[in-house]
Amino acid sequence: MARWGSQAHPAMQVPRPSVREAASMYGTAVAVFLVILVAALQGSVPAESPFPYHIPLDPEGTLELSWNVSYVQETVHFQLLVRDFKAGVLFGMSDRGELENADLVVLWTNGDRAYFGDAWSDPSGQIHLDSQQDYQLLQARRTPEGLCLLFKRPFSTCDPRDYLIEDGTVHLVYGILEQPFPSLEAINTSVLQTGLQRVQLLKPNISTPTLPSDMLTMEIRAPDVLVPGQETTYWCYISELPDGFARHHIVMYEPIVTKGNEALVHHMEVFQCAAEFESVPRFSGPCDSKMKPDRLNYCRHVLAAWALGAKAFYYPEEAGLAFGGPGSSRFLRLEVHYHNPLKIQGRHDSSGIRLYYTATLRRFNAGIMELGLVYTPVMAVPPQEIAFVLTGYCTDKCTQMALPPSGIHIFASQLHTHLTGRKVVTVLARDGREREIVNRDDHYSPHFQEIRMLKKVVSVHPGDVLITSCTYNTGDRTLATVGGFGILEEMCVNYVHYYPQTQLELCKSAVDTGFLQKYFHLVNRFNSEEVCTCPQASVPDQFASVPWNSFNRNVLKALYGFAPISMHCNKSSAVRFQGEWSLQPLPEIISKLEEPAPRCPASWGQSSGGPTMVSIGGGKG
């Protein structure tokens, strides 16, 4: 296929200009287009690039996606670079990263011409042209790196075949066409080289804070790790702050990814170890290694977290995260998640996180508070559930006692579950009414966790309630999934980043154990099968003995919805604030937030016609 250099246009015959005229027209068009693009995205584009966000889509780096977000136009502009272009490419989004029932855009060739069209796949993976063309091709051109496609799509199209682009995780899907197809309908995703990538598309439009003049940097990096030739590896490495390292404020951090490993390094976190340990053994190896020292399990205080597609993280100008000095551990644990689906051998990596810090302490210390459910087996999800919801509370009694009169301000959040988590949301309620969402991810994946800046700072006042709900899918499990620390157990947590720091480090709940025992007693009475849900057994064993018929499922769900709770209103020392925290009533919520209705674009240039034909000058195709 020959050189790609012309603007996309509907199929039509036009007079062919001379080479000099074509070059002039092309240069002018590109210049005008970039001016229009930057103007359209004004306010959401950093000055250095009209496409500030980048991710490799496939493990080999054949496909690279760049994008930007215009909240004014409610539109995402995409730039897809295709290296080693063959006969076509598909890109799109789906609920969990499946290629069936996906919202797609496809560039394909029939052996003579190339076409670009908005499409969708049915449950069998067959691709169909969408009757409403909402992806708009703006440009297709050859660059020294490969074929570059520039296109856009609104957040919401009100097309039932289209994916609603919203806050939270987006599962991107892709496919590579290695041979021409006579028509779009001749393509089935099952015969393509396909994959998925997770990303937060709708990055918040936040201005970069001013950084201090005395800022220093520190790199926490993996020590030339030989990446194992297996699909998933979590690598742990212990590093140490210098002797006598005084208290500083972290004001920013950013990823350091070894060149060539952009598609291998999935996410990274830096944890500080517990201050009560005077020493932590040196270690560099897989986090699940039997050789890993036990003390690494006490390195849980998050200092930094990065995931694929994220850029630098900035603290608000008035706050910084304290580390170093008295009462702070000198030991840090770096955890790197390597995603190696091609099982590449012999790859070395020294990726990590660069901390930017200052000795000039800011006005406020930033803090991290845990919201959600206590890590306890009393909160459980029955097997074969598709969307079972568990909810944890930070009650008005706790916030009234623990927060300062002026309240706190949440500016970032990291949601967390284990393998069966599918949705997570935290809502702030005041005077019995839900007021605003702190953070929400309706397409949450436990394989993609990052600290996300909030689009709007959320202020929490004494007497407010924070409600965190997690939705789980245990459709592939035969036993109940109980709460706990194990990867096959479950969690429901929102780590909120806020200022000013208070003594309150954990504000979570769990159902009262006495009421749960009443549930097990009820199961014994109403089930004729031989079950052992007696109090002498452990809670996990009791749940394992429950026959999961519809009655027992519904009663458990009802129990979690009305039974009193045990509140953990804890200081950083793991000691609860003074007061009675057992048998606490559930917060009464008399008014809930309404689900926002998608806004259809008023003046979107969608087309109901066929695909766009992209001019080709020759070559493959």
Side-chain angles (χ1 to χ4, degrees):
M1 187 173 292
R3 192 175 181 83
W4 299 64
S6 60
Q7 298 291 102
H9 58 269
M12 60 182 295
Q13 297 296 321
V14 296
R16 185 179 297 274
S18 69
V19 174
R20 180 175 295 180
E21 289 171 333
S24 176
M25 291 166 57
Y26 175 77
T28 303
V30 171
V32 170
F33 169 76
L34 289 176
V35 169
I36 293 172
L37 175 63
V38 173
L41 298 178
Q42 191 67 39
S44 64
V45 184
E48 72 274 9
S49 170
F51 295 101
Y53 308 111
H54 314 269
I55 56 164
L57 287 181
D58 65 311
E60 296 174 315
T62 304
L63 304 176
E64 182 176 309
L65 182 72
S66 304
W67 76 97
N68 206 334
V69 181
S70 170
Y71 285 101
V72 175
Q73 297 181 351
E74 296 190 346
T75 299
V76 181
H77 286 75
F78 296 99
Q79 179 176 272
L80 181 61
L81 175 63
V82 186
R83 298 182 175 93
D84 189 26
F85 179 80
K86 295 179 180 177
V89 63
L90 66 82
F91 166 80
M93 311 164 205
S94 66
D95 181 43
R96 308 300 309 178
E98 59 280 347
L99 267 296
E100 301 76 30
N101 299 313
D103 174 19
L104 303 170
V105 61
V106 186
L107 175 72
W108 79 100
T109 62
N110 62 9
D112 180 37
R113 294 176 176 175
Y115 300 90
F116 178 97
D118 187 340
W120 56 277
S121 60
D122 62 25
S124 66
Q126 195 73 33
I127 295 180
H128 306 269
L129 188 69
D130 200 327
S131 60
Q132 183 174 308
Q133 294 288 298
D134 293 297
Y135 285 97
Q136 291 190 2
L137 180 63
L138 302 172
Q139 188 183 65
R141 62 187 177 93
R142 275 287 185 181
T143 72
E145 291 187 273
L147 175 64
C148 187
L149 301 174
L150 188 64
F151 53 96
K152 65 177 182 176
R153 213 211 81 172
F155 301 169
S156 171
T157 66
C158 292
D159 179 349
R161 300 288 188 190
D162 284 353
Y163 181 93
L164 174 64
I165 301 175
E166 54 191 347
D167 293 338
T169 302
V170 177
H171 291 72
L172 303 177
V173 296
Y174 64 86
I176 297 173
L177 283 63
E178 297 187 343
Q179 63 186 28
F181 286 87
S183 68
L184 182 68
E185 284 69 21
I187 305 173
N188 191 295
T189 59
S190 63
V191 301
L192 305 180
Q193 176 187 336
T194 61
L196 74 95
Q197 189 63 275
R198 301 175 182 92
V199 72
Q200 182 195 22
L201 276 182
L202 300 188
K203 302 289 187 181
N205 181 16
I206 300 173
S207 58
T208 302
T210 302
L211 295 173
S213 58
D214 64 344
M215 190 168 61
L216 302 170
T217 64
M218 175 186 300
E219 295 184 354
I220 314 297
R221 304 180 68 158
D224 192 31
V225 170
L226 179 61
V227 180
Q230 59 192 38
E231 182 169 348
T232 300
T233 300
Y234 285 84
W235 195 272
C236 284
Y237 169 66
I238 290 292
S239 64
E240 189 175 347
L241 296 175
D243 284 334
F245 187 79
R247 172 149 299 204
H248 292 77
H249 269 168
I250 297 172
V251 296
M252 168 192 166
Y253 61 81
E254 64 183 0
I256 311 167
V257 180
T258 299
K259 187 172 179 58
N261 291 352
E262 292 83 0
L264 278 178
V265 180
H266 188 271
H267 70 257
M268 301 180 285
E269 293 185 88
V270 176
F271 301 88
Q272 192 167 33
C273 299
E276 63 253 34
F277 297 116
E278 292 185 1
S279 65
V280 175
R282 294 276 184 174
F283 179 75
S284 179
C287 298
D288 59 357
S289 168
K290 293 180 180 179
M291 303 300 292
K292 186 185 76 171
D294 289 340
R295 286 194 177 181
L296 267 67
N297 295 325
Y298 296 90
C299 304
R300 294 181 186 155
H301 179 65
V302 178
L303 291 184
W306 170 88
L308 199 66
K311 290 177 70 68
F313 181 94
Y314 295 87
Y315 280 85
E317 289 186 20
E318 59 270 33
L321 186 65
F323 79 130
S328 175
S329 174
R330 292 173 43 233
F331 298 95
L332 308 178
R333 174 168 66 95
L334 171 69
E335 182 175 300
V336 183
H337 173 198
Y338 295 110
H339 180 58
N340 187 10
L342 299 180
K343 300 181 180 178
I344 298 169
Q345 302 277 352
R347 188 71 64 86
H348 287 258
D349 184 73
S350 297
S351 299
I353 289 179
R354 182 181 293 116
L355 303 176
Y356 291 77
Y357 62 98
T358 174
T360 306
L361 301 183
R362 291 180 165 183
R363 180 182 177 190
F364 298 115
N365 284 331
I368 302 173
M369 185 191 306
E370 287 189 39
L371 307 175
L373 289 172
V374 180
Y375 309 132
T376 169
V378 303
M379 304 301 297
V381 182
Q384 304 296 308
E385 291 284 345
I386 303 302
F388 195 90
V389 179
L390 294 178
T391 300
Y393 299 91
C394 178
T395 61
D396 52 347
K397 180 178 178 180
C398 183
T399 61
Q400 187 71 54
M401 178 172 293
L403 298 188
S406 57
I408 60 172
H409 310 288
I410 301 174
F411 60 88
S413 162
Q414 181 183 20
L415 306 175
H416 178 74
T417 75
H418 284 173
L419 299 179
T420 67
R422 295 296 181 267
K423 298 181 181 182
V424 187
V425 60
T426 296
V427 178
L428 180 142
R430 185 174 296 148
D431 300 325
R433 299 178 181 275
E434 291 185 351
R435 295 297 182 94
E436 59 183 315
I437 292 172
V438 177
N439 193 6
R440 178 175 189 158
D441 195 338
D442 284 343
H443 300 276
Y444 172 84
S445 169
H447 305 293
F448 184 70
Q449 302 183 38
E450 61 180 347
I451 301 174
R452 292 178 179 167
M453 300 292 295
L454 303 185
K455 292 179 180 177
K456 173 182 172 293
V457 173
V458 176
S459 296
V460 185
H461 299 289
D464 286 350
V465 177
L466 292 162
I467 306 166
T468 301
S469 297
C470 295
T471 303
Y472 302 94
N473 184 333
T474 57
D476 61 347
R477 298 195 175 186
T478 57
L479 295 175
T481 301
V482 300
F485 290 99
I487 192 63
L488 295 179
E489 298 171 326
E490 264 308 340
M491 292 185 174
C492 179
V493 186
N494 185 355
Y495 300 97
V496 292
H497 295 242
Y498 72 96
Y499 68 91
Q501 185 180 30
T502 70
Q503 292 189 69
L504 181 61
E505 188 165 282
L506 187 148
C507 191
K508 303 162 79 172
S509 71
V511 71
D512 176 75
T513 55
F515 272 73
L516 181 63
Q517 289 305 319
K518 292 180 181 180
Y519 166 76
F520 290 133
H521 180 67
L522 189 68
V523 169
N524 275 332
R525 289 184 58 194
F526 281 84
N527 288 274
S528 58
E529 305 171 42
E530 286 294 323
V531 296
C532 179
T533 57
C534 45
Q536 292 81 5
S538 68
V539 170
D541 287 343
Q542 288 177 301
F543 272 121
S545 300
V546 173
W548 290 110
N549 53 46
S550 58
F551 175 80
N552 292 338
R553 293 173 186 272
N554 291 332
V555 172
L556 181 65
K557 189 179 299 183
L559 174 81
Y560 288 149
F562 82 87
I565 55 177
S566 170
M567 266 303 302
H568 288 235
C569 185
N570 292 8
K571 301 178 182 180
S572 57
S573 57
V575 175
R576 297 190 196 188
F577 281 83
Q578 188 174 1
E580 180 54 54
W581 300 108
S582 299
L583 293 171
Q584 297 296 294
L586 292 180
E588 184 179 0
I589 305 299
I590 59 176
S591 173
K592 293 196 172 186
L593 290 171
E594 293 184 4
E595 292 286 333
R599 294 201 303 172
C600 302
S603 57
W604 183 251
Q606 67 263 27
S607 165
S608 58
T612 299
M613 188 177 82
V614 183
S615 294
I616 305 175
K620 280 186 182 180

